[in-house]
């Protein structure tokens, strides 16, 4: 009798342990931990790649820096967790990371079936093809029968399949796990063509022996790839914080607030919009569950969107002026809702 | 009388054992059930859909290598991808097992050579390949050796109608041209096969009666190759060869052994052969030297001693640990994703999982496939092992 009672207690206890559900309040978790866990790719220059000092740099990493600054007041309190394309959604859904900022394309399937929410876009990209310059290829329509290196399991792979099917062309995919492996395969001659988002192609060409001058990125863009931070479904407050932090960076650029002049503007705001963004007017931070200086910290420590772009993506040779990633006031499509 | 010996039910040890076992089983089953139920509940709570309805959806991506199934972009479904993955896993596993066994036997025997240089060479081979992580070896062969050293398709190494380049090895492929001629040829080959079996039986009888030996293996081999070719000509050469032709980017037509498959096969073979070699050495050393001396005393030649006395006894020791090497090789083939070979983990637990997000179903099915392959391999080999074990009369 005693024996089976013991078993029953053990089983009941383990059932309770199994039944435990992850807590809903990501904000509270992050505050309690004193650290933001951020999923990045970790190997794409311009987006997220470690610098000489081992600190993660890039436009994806900067978004996490800004969130940490807004929530914790310190942009350095981020643990970056490099994830493969395959691991990323599971890592986010299981709570291994608080936010996924890993050049991830927003699609209906992902939004609707994976228990995720996409926030806004920190980079708008499109898929392209890269060939060796000495191949003499000038257009994607000349690629019938080619072997193409691609990162397996990405939307890139699907766009490529659609594009070739639409144009009645055949191809052989050579799928690798990481983007640096696709580069190695392309360099070694395992394929004729490397396909990825155009920004990644530019980034990867800087790592090649022949350099960006030895390759041609073909002019066609075959897909829309809006990339941005992703959060778990069901935590609306956290989703608001992530998207509003990104909006704050974009609005700061629009209003001419930089990490350099923000202290002056905080002392003498030029207009009410600026005052709300630096936290001297209104209760924006409070509404989000954050301190009044949330956006001040983010802009002061990380810089506005334009500053981030210049020190990250511009460095891999993708100019911004007039591209889709410019502000709406300058011919781009970056358009953030007002902070008020 | 019977009244007195009857034990009350709660003190009957048999009954109590049964009850406790049933209870324990029920708790275990309940534990698994609640684990499953909690997982499903949590998935639903997080808005993650799960199920098998995606099987019949058209897979929106291309697969480059599928030698036996016909995979067609825009028509093949996700479940086809699953079978293509299994096919490619089995292909590399079978190729690897055959090659690793041959190489492993050779290295294992050579390891015991009285020649110092040869046996130390085999030792060096074993220690190098056994002690370097397999993933590193696969990537080393593919990215550091084969890719840089093999030429682009335009400058392929030409060996008759065979071509070798950085994309792989291209061979002519026989295609049936005249199906009645082919059927005739097959029928004649079958007759030849039956004839050879009868011949082998006769030769055995003759050996047992007179002690005269015929080189049965060589005669059979000659008959199959030479006779087969003559019969092929008699049947009117029913095959034509589809030769690879250099296209704009690579060879088209013919058969292809893609470089990722080759790299993976090569690395798996070298790695597993090192382990098998050690099994072979241990097996041979386990046979008492007295056996060899006794067979020499009986007048058996060195070759016959090895073939008839040493190896059969060594096999009893070699087979069981080699079974687990075969299983390891099959499971290790999942490292293919590093070099872009499209086996089960790459296309199913990788691409399909990422495109559909159905982790639970997909990982479960992948686990089941490896489980089945391993159980099947060990079932076959255990049967073989039982057959060659010492039967004591």
């Amino acid at each position: 009798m005693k024996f089976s009672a013991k078993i029953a207690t053990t089983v009941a206890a383990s059932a309770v342990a199994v039944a435990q559900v992850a807590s809903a309040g990501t904000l509270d978790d992050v505050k309690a931990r004193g650290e933001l866990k951020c999923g990045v790719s970790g190997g794409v220059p311009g987006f997220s790649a470690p610098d000489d000092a081992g600190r993660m740099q890039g436009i994806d990493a900067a978004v996490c820096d800004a969130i940490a600054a807004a929530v914790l007041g310190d942009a350095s309190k981020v643990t970056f967790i490099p994830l493969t394309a395959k691991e990323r959604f599971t890592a986010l859904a299981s709570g291994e990371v608080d936010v996924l900022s890993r050049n991830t394309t927003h699609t209906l399937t992902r939004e609707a079936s994976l228990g995720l929410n996409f926030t806004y876009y920190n980079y708008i990209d499109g898929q392209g093809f890269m060939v060796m310059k000495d191949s003499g290829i000038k257009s994607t329509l000349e690629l019938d029968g080619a072997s193409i290196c691609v990162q397996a399991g990405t939307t890139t792979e699907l766009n490529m399949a659609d594009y070739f099917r639409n144009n009645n062309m055949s191809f052989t995919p050579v799928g690798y796990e990481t983007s640096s492996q696709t580069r190695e395969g392309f360099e070694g001659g395992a394929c004729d063509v490397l396909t990825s988002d155009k920004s990644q192609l530019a980034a990867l060409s800087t790592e090649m022996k022949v350099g960006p001058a030895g390759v041609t990125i073909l002019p066609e863009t075959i897909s829309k790839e809006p990339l941005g931070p992703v959060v778990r479904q069901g935590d609306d407050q956290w989703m608001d914080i992530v998207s509003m932090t990104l909006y704050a960076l974009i609005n700061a650029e629009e209003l001419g607030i930089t990490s350099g002049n923000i202290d002056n503007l905080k002392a003498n705001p030029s207009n009410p919009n600026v005052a709300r963004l630096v936290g001297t007017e209104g209760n924006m931070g409070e509404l989000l569950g954050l301190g009044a200086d949330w956006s001040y910290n983010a802009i002061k420590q990380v810089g506005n969107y334009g500053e981030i772009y210049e020190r990250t993506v511009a460095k891999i040779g993708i100019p911004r002026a007039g591209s889709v990633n410019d502000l709406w006031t300058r011919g781009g499509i970056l358009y953030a809702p007002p902070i008020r | 009388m019977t009244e007195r010996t009857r034990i009350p039910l709660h003190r009957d040890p048999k009954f109590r054992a049964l009850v406790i076992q049933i209870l324990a089983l029920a708790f275990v089953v309940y534990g698994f059930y609640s684990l499953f139920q909690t997982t499903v509940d949590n998935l639903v709570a997080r808005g993650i859909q799960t199920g098998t309805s995606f099987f019949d959806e058209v897979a929106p991506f291309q697969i480059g290598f599928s030698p036996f199934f016909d995979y067609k972009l825009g028509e093949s479904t996700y479940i086809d991808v699953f079978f293509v993955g299994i096919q490619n896993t089995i292909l590399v596993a079978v190729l690897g097992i055959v090659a690793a066994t041959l190489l492993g036997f050779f290295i294992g025997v050579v390891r015991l050579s009285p020649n110092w240089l040869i046996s130390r060479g085999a030792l060096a081979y074993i220690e190098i390949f056994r002690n370097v992580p397999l993933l590193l070896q696969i990537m080393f062969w593919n990215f550091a050796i084969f890719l840089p050293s093999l030429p682009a398709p335009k400058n392929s190494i030409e060996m008759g109608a065979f071509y070798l380049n950085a994309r792989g090895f291209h061979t002519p492929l026989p295609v049936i041209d005249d199906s009645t001629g082919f059927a005739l040829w097959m029928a004649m080959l079958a007759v030849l096969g039956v004839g050879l079996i009868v011949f082998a039986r006769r030769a055995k009888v003759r050996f047992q009666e007179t002690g005269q030996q015929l080189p049965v293996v060589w005669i059979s081999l000659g008959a199959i190759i030479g006779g087969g070719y003559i019969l092929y000509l008699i049947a009117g050469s029913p095959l034509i060869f589809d030769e690879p032709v250099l296209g704009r980017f690579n060879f088209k037509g013919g058969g292809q052994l893609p470089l990722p498959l080759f790299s993976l096969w090569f690395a798996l073979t070298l790695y597993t052969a090192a382990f098998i070699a050690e099994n072979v050495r241990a097996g041979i050393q386990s046979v008492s030297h007295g056996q060899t001396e006794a067979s020499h005393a009986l007048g058996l030649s060195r070759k016959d001693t090895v073939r008839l006395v040493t190896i059969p006894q060594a096999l009893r020791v070699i087979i069981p640990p080699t079974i687990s090497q075969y299983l390891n090789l099959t499971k290790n083939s999942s490292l293919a994703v590093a070099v872009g070979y499209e086996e089960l983990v790459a296309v199913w637990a990788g691409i399909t999982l990422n495109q559909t997000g159905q982790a639970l179903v997909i990982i479960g099915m992948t686990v089941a496939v490896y489980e089945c392959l391993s159980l099947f391999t060990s079932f076959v080999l255990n049967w073989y092992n039982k057959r060659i074990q010492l039967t004591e009369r």
Side-chain angles (χ1 to χ4, degrees):
Chain A
M1 234 14 237
K2 226 178 184 180
F3 180 58
S4 43
K6 219 175 201 172
I7 294 178
T9 345
T10 322
V11 171
S14 51
V16 169
V18 164
Q20 213 170 40
V21 183
S23 70
T26 310
L27 176 62
D28 295 335
D29 289 350
V30 173
K31 277 183 175 165
R33 205 188 301 128
E35 203 170 50
L36 178 77
K37 288 196 282 186
C38 171
V40 290
S41 112
V44 185
F47 284 79
S48 57
D51 62 10
D52 298 342
R55 176 86 191 146
M56 203 61 84
Q57 296 292 353
I59 199 165
D60 282 345
V63 167
C64 285
D65 290 341
I67 298 167
V71 174
L72 303 166
D74 185 348
S76 68
K77 288 192 171 160
V78 187
T79 305
F80 288 102
I81 299 172
L83 298 169
T84 65
K86 211 157 88 178
E87 296 161 347
R88 55 185 164 182
F89 300 122
T90 320
L92 179 64
S94 65
E96 201 183 313
V97 296
D98 302 311
V99 58
L100 182 70
S101 184
R102 192 206 169 281
N103 45 338
T104 299
T105 306
H106 186 182
T107 67
L108 185 145
T109 315
R110 288 174 175 175
E111 177 85 58
S113 71
L114 298 182
L116 311 171
N117 277 330
F118 284 75
T119 55
Y120 188 57
Y121 314 125
N122 63 342
Y123 189 84
I124 293 162
D125 214 334
Q127 186 178 341
F129 294 88
M130 178 161 83
V131 293
M132 291 290 178
K133 190 155 250 168
D134 57 22
S135 71
I137 295 168
K138 294 273 178 279
S139 158
T140 47
L141 295 169
E142 296 171 40
L143 295 179
D144 191 12
S147 296
I148 304 180
C149 284
V150 61
Q151 199 178 347
T154 53
T155 50
T156 312
E157 204 173 19
L158 309 188
N159 298 328
M160 168 173 74
D162 286 351
Y163 182 78
F164 276 76
R165 198 146 62 93
N166 279 347
N167 290 293
N168 283 320
M169 301 195 294
S170 67
F171 72 103
T172 309
V174 183
Y176 291 105
E177 176 104 279
T178 65
S179 69
S180 58
Q181 281 172 346
T182 62
R183 197 247 314 144
E184 272 180 72
F186 177 56
E187 264 193 302
C191 50
D192 308 291
V193 188
L194 175 56
T195 186
S196 187
D197 294 346
K198 281 191 161 178
S199 65
Q200 283 215 37
L201 293 178
L204 290 173
S205 73
T206 63
E207 294 181 330
M208 287 178 59
K209 280 185 216 95
V210 294
V215 296
T216 311
I217 297 178
L218 300 176
E220 289 87 348
T221 300
I222 66 162
S223 71
K224 296 192 284 186
E225 307 285 341
L227 314 176
V230 193
V231 295
R232 270 184 297 280
Q233 206 167 291
D235 189 348
D236 296 358
Q237 183 192 28
W238 183 246
M239 178 171 171
D240 290 346
I241 290 170
V242 172
S243 50
M244 283 301 159
T245 305
L246 188 48
Y247 291 144
L249 301 178
I250 296 168
N251 277 319
E253 188 187 8
E254 199 179 323
L255 295 168
I257 308 172
T258 67
S259 55
N261 68 12
I262 193 167
D263 285 323
N264 290 336
L265 286 170
K266 193 175 185 185
N268 311 300
S270 51
N271 64 50
N273 282 330
V274 173
R276 276 190 291 271
L277 197 51
V278 296
T280 51
E281 200 178 304
N283 59 345
M284 302 300 139
E286 196 186 313
L287 293 176
L288 287 171
L290 300 173
D293 54 358
W294 66 286
S295 50
Y296 167 82
N297 284 336
I299 299 162
K300 171 74 187 163
Q301 295 178 24
V302 187
N304 67 33
Y305 183 86
E307 289 177 87
I308 295 170
Y309 191 102
E310 285 312 311
R311 68 162 193 266
T312 57
V313 182
K315 285 278 162 57
I316 58 167
I318 305 177
R320 178 165 177 237
S323 75
V324 282
N325 287 298
D326 213 337
L327 292 177
W328 66 286
T329 50
R330 294 200 293 252
I333 59 170
L334 278 193
Y335 185 99
I339 305 282
R340 65 176 306 143
Chain B
M1 202 59 194
T2 46
E3 273 303 300
R4 205 175 293 168
T5 52
R6 180 176 287 168
I7 310 163
L9 215 49
H10 68 275
R11 288 180 56 195
D12 179 355
K14 260 190 190 166
F15 178 78
R16 284 194 352 187
L18 192 70
V19 168
I20 287 174
Q21 284 185 43
I22 288 173
L23 277 179
L25 184 69
F27 281 127
V28 170
V29 168
Y30 175 75
F32 277 109
Y33 171 77
S34 61
L35 197 67
F36 174 77
Q37 198 55 46
T38 312
T39 311
V40 170
D41 288 348
N42 279 338
L43 286 175
V44 170
R46 282 157 203 214
I48 301 173
Q49 297 163 8
T50 184
T52 57
S53 56
F54 68 97
F55 284 1
D56 299 327
E57 285 170 31
V58 170
F61 50 85
Q62 173 71 301
I63 290 181
F65 181 68
S66 177
F68 302 113
F69 286 118
D70 209 14
Y71 183 89
K72 198 158 184 311
L73 177 64
E75 286 174 21
S76 299
T77 56
Y78 278 120
I79 199 74
D80 293 332
V81 173
F82 178 61
F83 290 119
V84 168
I86 295 178
Q87 158 206 260
N88 288 352
T89 292
I90 293 178
L91 179 69
V92 73
V94 169
L95 286 176
I97 284 173
V98 171
T101 308
L102 295 176
L103 184 65
F105 251 88
F106 176 72
I107 302 283
V109 170
V110 154
R111 171 83 181 81
L112 293 171
S113 162
N115 183 320
W116 187 88
L117 192 64
I118 290 179
S119 81
R120 289 306 135 130
L123 177 70
Y125 170 89
I126 290 169
E127 294 307 337
I128 290 172
F129 286 96
R130 209 164 53 145
N131 294 322
V132 176
L134 179 57
L135 182 60
L136 203 65
Q137 292 190 34
I138 295 174
M139 291 172 72
F140 173 78
W141 290 116
N142 191 64
F143 289 113
I145 302 293
F146 295 136
L147 268 184
S149 60
L150 291 174
K154 271 177 209 154
N155 312 316
S156 296
I157 303 166
E158 203 177 322
M159 293 165 281
F162 298 84
Y163 300 92
L164 182 67
N165 59 37
R167 304 289 155 71
F169 188 58
H170 308 265
T171 65
L173 202 66
V175 181
I176 300 168
D177 184 33
D178 168 15
S179 55
T180 46
F182 183 74
L184 181 67
W185 184 41
M186 283 291 128
M188 290 193 293
L189 278 182
V191 173
L192 179 69
V194 171
L196 285 175
I197 292 170
V198 171
F199 165 70
R201 289 240 171 106
R202 289 255 170 93
K204 197 175 176 186
V205 170
R206 195 177 107 140
F207 169 66
Q208 281 166 350
E209 282 171 358
T210 67
Q212 286 174 314
Q213 271 182 296
L214 279 176
V216 175
V217 174
W218 295 112
I219 291 176
S220 307
L221 212 64
I224 289 169
I225 294 173
Y229 185 65
I230 292 167
L231 292 177
Y232 173 75
L233 293 180
I234 293 172
S237 309
L239 298 178
I240 50 167
F241 286 88
D242 179 17
E243 289 192 12
V245 181
L246 185 62
R248 188 172 152 72
F249 289 102
N250 197 2
F251 285 90
K252 284 182 174 173
Q256 199 196 8
L257 183 71
L259 188 69
L261 169 58
F262 184 75
S263 302
L264 181 69
W265 178 32
F266 194 80
L268 282 175
T269 300
L270 293 190
Y271 180 75
T272 314
F275 290 90
I276 293 180
E278 282 296 86
N279 296 344
V280 170
R281 180 182 65 88
I284 292 174
Q285 283 181 336
S286 77
V287 179
S288 145
H289 194 58
Q291 296 278 328
T292 318
E293 285 168 350
S295 65
H296 283 167
L298 284 171
L300 285 175
S301 68
R302 263 189 84 88
K303 209 180 79 188
D304 283 340
T305 304
V306 172
R307 193 168 63 89
L308 298 169
V309 177
T310 317
I311 295 289
Q313 296 187 75
L315 272 182
R316 296 187 191 122
V317 176
I318 295 171
I319 295 287
T322 302
I323 296 176
S324 31
Q325 289 312 322
Y326 288 172
L327 301 186
N328 279 345
L329 187 142
T330 310
K331 289 178 285 179
N332 286 339
S333 70
S334 61
L335 293 170
V337 72
V339 291
Y341 177 62
E342 293 153 316
E343 47 69 68
L344 185 67
V345 170
V347 296
W348 181 248
I351 299 176
T352 308
L353 170 57
N354 210 32
Q355 300 302 359
T356 62
Q358 299 294 342
L360 211 58
V361 176
I362 287 174
I363 296 296
M365 286 169 73
T366 310
V367 168
V369 168
Y370 281 104
E371 198 69 48
C372 290
L373 285 180
S374 292
L375 287 176
F376 177 73
T377 312
S378 62
F379 172 78
V380 170
L381 286 164
N382 281 328
W383 169 81
Y384 178 65
N385 188 34
K386 209 168 253 173
R387 243 183 58 133
I388 61 157
Q389 283 305 325
L390 199 60
T391 35
E392 293 182 10
R393 295 192 179 89

